[in-house]
Amino acid sequence: MIQIRDLTKIYRGAAGEVVALDSVSLRVRKGEIYGIIGFSGAGKSTLIRCVNMLERPTEGSIIVNGQEMTTLYESQLRTMRQKIGMIFQHFNLLSSRTVFENVAFPLEISGVAKAEINKKVTNLLELVGLADKAQSYPSQLSGGQKQRVGIARALANDPIVLLCDEATSALDPATTSSILELLKDINRKLDLTILMITHEMKVISEICDSVAVIEGGKIIEEGLVIDVFTQPKHSTTRRFVQTIINTDVPDKIRERLLEKGQGQIIRLSFIGDNTAEPVVSSLVKHFDVDVNILYGNIDQIQDTPFGMLIIECIGAKANCDKAVAYLRKQGLRIEVLRSAE
Amino acid sequence: MPNDVFTHLATLSPELIKATWETLYMTVVSVLFASLLGIPLGVILVVTDKGHIKESLKLNQILGSIVNVLRSFPFLILMLALGPFTRLVVGTTIGTTATIVPLTIAAAPFVARLVETSLKEVNWGVVEASLAMGASTWQIIRKVLLPEAMPSIILGTTITTITIIGYSTMAGVIGGGGLGDLAVRYGHMRFDYVVMVTTVIILVVIVQVIQSLGNLFAAKFNKN
């Protein structure tokens, strides 16, 4: 649905050149929620704004729904933009218009008839749960309500893509969750492709299907959310993942663990269904070893449970090795933190 | 003594009413024309500015310079210097109607700068959101910039109106009449302090009423 190839954006200023995006490529499939995460200054905002040409790329190609965006004439671009909804961190509602008129605004722009506007706006306000606020002004709304208006407005022209520019960053955690739920709901109901940028891993973990991590204008890691979360490769990704789940053993605990005992210390990570398998008791039964559980946690991303367990395997070295081999066969990720003597 | 004052005012009342009417006429018509010229000019100054929706730095600089030059003229000199132009427009260089031409020319750049300031206060995010929705330049001006800046533009118009009332008191120089002229002819030249004080009181009342109306309308349009 969105295909970005070798996108480069260079700002030329008095102080010289700043490379905001450096040959970024990514692909967003139809109907998925794609998240781009990065710290501030990483280039994510420039990236999302290139998709609807609010920023002109210096080089590269952006294809939305089969349409190359970078070569469009102004009037073609306007028509295309009407099909790309966008919501913003600070909502950007028209303060002089009521909620109803704000949602009607994009329809006025695209020349929709009055009667049709009335019908559409009423439905959209229903969809975002603000039917009773139609005649209020934005200044009378809470942040979450304002973003709901923003979402209704972005959906008005039946977009093929929704861009979310830090859409929840100005909201408190509870409101963030409700807005994310609404976005997920819309994604499912309308099969709407959503591209969002954020600096909050929570946003990614709650609703995104795929994620790209951006740093210094480059995509440093990309993939399905569950994969990136459970096996982060880049240190920055790990930092993001750790903001919401502990994949690493805290240093203090790790030191203490490694000092204790004499057995083999193994870390098991598991994703999805095999979480339910009784692997630990199998070890004890079949390999003549004692197992001591040292540390563990379990978490869930969307509907997939995953977790890790650190165990100490006490017994003859040969038996321990066999146990490890067995664990590997179970489709678990195994990391031997300390071998047996 | 008070009796004398009232008798005096009663005799002069036709003059006072005429002068008040002239002041209001000059002011209202000039503000109208100045807005017709100044608002588009202010809009152009904003949208052609660097990074705005219709960037055109050349045009921006040219218009900006014209505005600055016109604004540097003291009104009295502008009024006299515009004589030939005034004749071209209204067919005469003297009288109340003739005064409207220099008043308009003096006020238009003033309006333009005030409108420019008002429009620049409009949250850029809202403009950007409109661009993202596919709005054209004209749609953004008409549906976003002007409505969003309306309270501020109304207050600016109030300031313009009051400034024009001030300028209009100089209209006597080219036979434009008005309250200022009356104050000079009677109050200053004939030492008629009753007329002097009365004209001042009338001007104060007019200014107060205009300011209050401006505040009222601005508040009505302000939805923040």
Side-chain angles (χ1 to χ4, degrees):
Chain A
M1 183 51 79
I2 303 175
Q3 199 168 356
I4 297 174
R5 257 190 251 129
D6 298 323
L7 178 66
T8 298
K9 173 74 186 180
I10 299 168
Y11 291 105
R12 295 192 170 88
E17 290 189 348
V18 179
V19 181
L21 293 175
D22 187 359
S23 201
V24 169
S25 297
L26 57 86
R27 188 189 195 110
V28 182
R29 287 185 303 267
K30 179 162 174 24
E32 81 171 332
I33 304 182
Y34 194 106
I36 297 170
I37 189 164
F39 293 110
S40 51
K44 56 189 189 301
S45 196
T46 308
L47 177 55
I48 199 164
R49 294 153 52 84
C50 277
V51 174
N52 60 0
M53 297 285 115
L54 283 178
E55 295 279 356
R56 284 269 162 194
T58 310
E59 262 173 63
S61 139
I62 294 155
I63 297 169
V64 179
N65 198 28
Q67 175 64 57
E68 172 64 54
M69 299 291 290
T70 54
T71 54
L72 289 175
Y73 295 115
E74 213 187 303
S75 63
Q76 295 172 312
L77 177 59
R78 282 204 302 272
T79 314
M80 194 64 195
R81 277 173 170 169
Q82 291 172 5
K83 288 287 166 197
I84 303 176
M86 190 167 193
I87 59 174
F88 304 87
Q89 180 175 6
H90 298 297
F91 326 119
N92 295 345
L93 303 177
L94 289 147
S95 62
S96 57
R97 286 177 169 235
T98 61
V99 165
F100 186 96
E101 291 164 341
N102 262 286
V103 180
F105 180 55
L107 295 164
E108 288 172 25
I109 285 175
S110 53
V112 176
K114 262 255 156 67
E116 176 73 13
I117 291 181
N118 284 340
K119 211 173 83 195
K120 276 207 115 160
V121 174
T122 310
N123 286 341
L124 284 163
L125 289 179
E126 201 76 52
L127 175 72
V128 299
L130 282 180
D132 56 326
K133 297 281 181 198
Q135 296 312 318
S136 302
Y137 284 92
S139 60
Q140 299 164 316
L141 303 180
S142 70
Q145 290 171 328
K146 283 181 196 171
Q147 195 58 289
R148 282 168 188 271
V149 179
I151 292 170
R153 182 176 72 172
L155 296 176
N157 274 320
D158 303 315
I160 45 177
V161 169
L162 178 65
L163 306 176
C164 306
D165 185 355
E166 296 274 8
T168 58
S169 300
L171 304 174
D172 63 62
T175 314
T176 295
S177 292
S178 80
I179 291 293
L180 292 178
E181 223 165 87
L182 175 63
L183 288 173
K184 184 89 195 169
D185 197 41
I186 288 163
N187 162 257
R188 284 197 189 126
K189 265 192 205 152
L190 310 175
D191 193 31
L192 179 65
T193 312
I194 300 179
L195 175 62
M196 50 170 41
I197 62 163
T198 181
H199 62 268
E200 296 169 300
M201 208 55 180
K202 176 176 143 65
V203 172
I204 304 282
S205 73
E206 277 187 31
I207 65 167
C208 289
D209 303 305
S210 300
V211 60
V213 184
I214 186 168
E215 189 176 52
K218 287 182 178 161
I219 303 277
I220 53 170
E221 195 159 346
E222 202 224 346
L224 293 176
V225 168
I226 188 77
D227 295 338
V228 172
F229 262 74
T230 49
Q231 299 163 50
K233 294 184 186 72
H234 197 280
S235 62
T236 303
T237 315
R238 247 170 264 143
R239 275 172 70 192
F240 275 122
V241 171
Q242 274 160 29
T243 58
I244 58 160
I245 46 169
N246 244 341
T247 52
D248 254 350
V249 189
D251 284 346
K252 277 268 163 60
I253 296 176
R254 180 190 280 257
E255 272 168 37
R256 274 222 315 276
L257 292 181
L258 294 177
E259 278 164 17
K260 265 201 294 198
Q262 74 285 14
Q264 189 162 11
I265 294 181
I266 305 160
R267 178 159 96 159
L268 327 171
S269 311
F270 38 90
I271 306 167
D273 291 341
N274 52 16
T275 320
E277 303 263 328
V279 284
V280 173
S281 68
S282 295
L283 289 189
V284 180
K285 273 190 208 148
H286 303 305
F287 300 99
D288 190 25
V289 291
D290 287 324
V291 173
N292 189 11
I293 295 173
L294 300 175
Y295 184 91
N297 65 25
I298 187 158
D299 214 315
Q300 185 170 329
I301 292 176
Q302 291 157 29
D303 296 325
T304 311
F306 71 98
M308 65 110 164
L309 195 59
I310 295 181
I311 57 172
E312 186 183 20
C313 187
I314 306 164
K317 184 165 188 323
N319 289 346
C320 284
D321 288 345
K322 265 190 228 158
V324 170
Y326 163 78
L327 287 174
R328 282 192 212 278
K329 253 189 257 162
Q330 303 307 305
L332 297 170
R333 270 210 314 138
I334 305 298
E335 192 186 343
V336 177
L337 298 179
R338 189 184 71 191
S339 301
E341 279 112 47
Chain B
M1 177 65 187
N3 245 354
D4 288 354
V5 172
F6 284 126
T7 326
H8 186 44
L9 279 177
T11 355
L12 276 174
S13 66
E15 285 262 24
L16 278 168
I17 289 168
K18 181 168 170 279
T20 307
W21 165 246
E22 282 165 350
T23 294
L24 289 176
Y25 168 66
M26 282 187 284
T27 307
V28 170
V29 177
S30 304
V31 168
L32 199 77
F33 282 118
S35 302
L36 283 178
L37 287 173
I39 291 175
L41 192 57
V43 168
I44 296 171
L45 281 172
V46 170
V47 298
T48 58
D49 202 3
K50 193 169 168 53
H52 219 285
I53 53 176
K54 212 76 198 171
E55 182 178 312
S56 168
L57 296 181
K58 267 245 167 67
L59 181 62
N60 190 274
Q61 273 167 8
I62 293 169
L63 290 179
S65 309
I66 294 173
V67 165
N68 287 344
V69 168
L70 285 176
R71 289 203 57 204
S72 350
F73 270 92
F75 179 66
L76 195 62
I77 294 168
L78 186 76
M79 189 164 62
L80 297 172
L82 279 175
F85 178 69
T86 305
R87 182 185 296 280
L88 201 72
V89 178
V90 292
T92 175
T93 55
I94 53 168
T96 313
T97 304
T99 317
I100 288 170
V101 176
L103 277 177
T104 302
I105 301 295
F110 190 71
V111 173
R113 285 294 184 212
L114 286 173
V115 167
E116 183 189 15
T117 312
S118 302
L119 296 187
K120 279 190 170 163
E121 278 165 20
V122 173
N123 176 8
W124 178 248
V126 176
V127 176
E128 201 158 59
S130 315
L131 283 172
M133 285 177 231
S136 65
T137 304
W138 175 238
Q139 284 172 325
I140 291 177
I141 292 169
R142 201 165 54 90
K143 289 175 180 279
V144 181
L145 289 177
L146 290 174
E148 288 290 294
M150 198 45 82
S152 173
I153 291 174
I154 290 170
L155 289 177
T157 307
T158 310
I159 295 173
T160 310
T161 310
I162 291 167
T163 306
I164 288 189
I165 290 176
Y167 286 170
S168 77
T169 56
M170 294 178 227
V173 176
I174 58 167
L179 287 165
D181 184 44
L182 191 69
V184 171
R185 283 192 289 117
Y186 283 79
H188 181 64
M189 292 176 177
R190 299 189 200 166
F191 304 105
D192 187 337
Y193 294 115
V194 175
V195 171
M196 177 82 98
V197 171
T198 310
T199 52
V200 169
I201 290 172
I202 294 175
L203 283 170
V204 168
V205 170
I206 292 175
V207 168
Q208 287 289 349
V209 168
I210 289 170
Q211 187 65 56
S212 307
L213 282 177
N215 291 348
L216 197 76
F217 277 115
K220 207 172 150 55
F221 276 92
N222 192 350
K223 306 298 183 189
N224 280 321

